[in-house]
Amino acid sequence: WIACRNRKCSFNCRNGGCAKKDEKGARRIYAYTEDYNVASQKLCEKLGMRREGLFMEFVSFVKDEDGNPIYENTYQYAILKREWEQNGK
């Protein structure tokens, strides 16, 4: 998922394509992807997004067999509306 700041919208990016969920004119779009998910990283880069940071042990949606959270390292990508328009996206 790619979320937008300051406006309500999101993109569902799966199978190599993105579908915008809401047309609100977002100024900034960002995406989170795990460090091992190279396909999502390539998709973000193909969309013209820049890698802004790596969050170590950022968030956990998975638990181990004992019920303890498994934290994952997560990259953040982003693009500004003006960058998107300059790239002809």
Side-chain angles (χ1 to χ4, degrees), residues 17-62:
C18 284
K20 191 168 182 183
K21 190 175 178 183
D22 192 3
E23 295 283 341
K24 295 286 186 183
R27 181 187 61 82
R28 175 183 170 81
I29 299 172
Y30 62 93
Y32 292 117
T33 180
E34 290 78 17
D35 61 351
Y36 58 82
N37 192 338
V38 177
S40 289
Q41 293 168 34
K42 286 182 180 181
L43 175 59
C44 289
E45 292 165 5
K46 183 177 180 180
L47 291 170
M49 301 176 92
R50 78 185 146 281
R51 185 183 291 180
E52 293 192 325
L54 173 62
F55 300 96
M56 302 300 292
E57 298 182 9
F58 182 54
V59 70
S60 176
F61 297 107
V62 182

Side-chain angles (χ1 to χ4, degrees), residues 9-26:
C9 70
S10 63
F11 289 73
N12 184 1
C13 295
R14 295 178 190 207
N15 301 321
C18 284
K20 191 168 182 183
K21 190 175 178 183
D22 192 3
E23 295 283 341
K24 295 286 186 183

